[in-house]
């Protein structure tokens, strides 16, 4: 199954403008909409900027739009993770701003509430908010607009 929301890393040469939230880009024939910026890393040795984005795949339109139901009251939940001592290299998966999946839903990590050691394991508790794709109609309109631009069509 192809996920609707994905995390992707894009590398830019320095002084080339990185994507902003709301921008679309195409990779491997797939159009993606940037809905969040998770993190970035500057590498002065090879003059690159590596940006980790949360993106919506615009080619996937078979989903139920959820965002409008949650617009009234932004909510967050407390989550926890335990990393075994031999898996500490995965601690970057829990950096602030990154996204994680719980029961099939994607959440953005906002704030740590507890970090402790339990034996040789690292225990992390944090607050996260749900990430929702843009409305299906908006996604379809954005995809059609991008295709029109690519084909250089104008509607009069």
């Amino acid at each position: 199954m192809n996920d609707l929301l994905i995390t992707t890393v894009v590398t830019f040469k320095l002084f080339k403008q990185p994507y902003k939230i709301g921008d679309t880009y195409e990779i491997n024939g797939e159009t993606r909409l940037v809905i969040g910026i998770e993190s970035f890393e500057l590498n002065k040795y090879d003059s690159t900027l590596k940006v980790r984005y949360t993106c919506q795949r615009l080619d996937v339109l078979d989903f139920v739009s959820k965002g409008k139901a949650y617009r009234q009251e932004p909510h967050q939940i407390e989550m926890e993770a335990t990393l075994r001592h031999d898996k500490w290299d995965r601690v970057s998966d829990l950096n602030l701003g990154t996204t994680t999946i719980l029961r099939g839903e994607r959440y953005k990590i906002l704030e740590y509430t507890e970090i402790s050691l339990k034996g040789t394991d690292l225990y992390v508790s944090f607050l996260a908010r749900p990430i929702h794709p843009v409305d299906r109609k908006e996604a379809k309109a954005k995809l059609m607009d991008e295709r029109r631009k690519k084909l250089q069509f104008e509607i009069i």
Side-chain angles (χ1 to χ4, degrees), residues 39-57:
S39 63
F40 68 93
E41 181 181 314
L42 273 171
N43 187 330
K44 63 182 179 182
Y45 299 109
D46 67 356
S47 300
T48 59
L49 173 66
K50 191 182 291 188
V51 184
R52 185 177 171 134
Y53 294 105
T54 303
C55 296
Q56 179 174 341
R57 297 175 58 223

Side-chain angles (χ1 to χ4, degrees), residues 32-120:
R32 296 179 181 176
L33 172 66
V34 176
I35 61 174
I37 300 169
E38 294 188 13
S39 63
F40 68 93
E41 181 181 314
L42 273 171
N43 187 330
K44 63 182 179 182
Y45 299 109
D46 67 356
S47 300
T48 59
L49 173 66
K50 191 182 291 188
V51 184
R52 185 177 171 134
Y53 294 105
T54 303
C55 296
Q56 179 174 341
R57 297 175 58 223
L58 291 179
D59 299 340
V60 177
L61 295 172
D62 58 341
F63 66 94
V64 176
S65 300
K66 298 179 187 176
K68 288 183 179 175
Y70 295 103
R71 292 224 167 111
Q72 312 295 4
E73 184 180 325
H75 66 285
Q76 53 194 21
I77 64 169
E78 187 158 1
M79 300 172 80
E80 54 187 47
T82 302
L83 295 174
R84 291 186 6 203
H85 71 283
D86 58 343
K87 300 288 185 188
W88 282 13
D89 58 329
R90 298 206 46 217
V91 74
S92 63
D93 293 347
L94 300 176
N95 285 341
L96 295 179
T98 58
T99 58
T100 188
I101 297 174
L102 176 68
R103 291 185 221 114
E105 297 291 325
R106 191 168 288 268
Y107 293 86
K108 184 171 197 154
I109 299 173
L110 301 174
E111 176 182 344
Y112 300 121
T113 56
E114 182 182 352
I115 298 173
S116 62
L117 288 174
K118 292 189 177 180
T120 58

Side-chain angles (χ1 to χ4, degrees), residues 131-145:
I131 302 290
H132 300 290
V134 298
D135 184 70
R136 189 171 34 175
K137 287 180 184 178
E138 293 174 42
K140 190 172 184 179
K142 190 83 164 169
L143 177 62
M144 296 307 283
D145 188 46

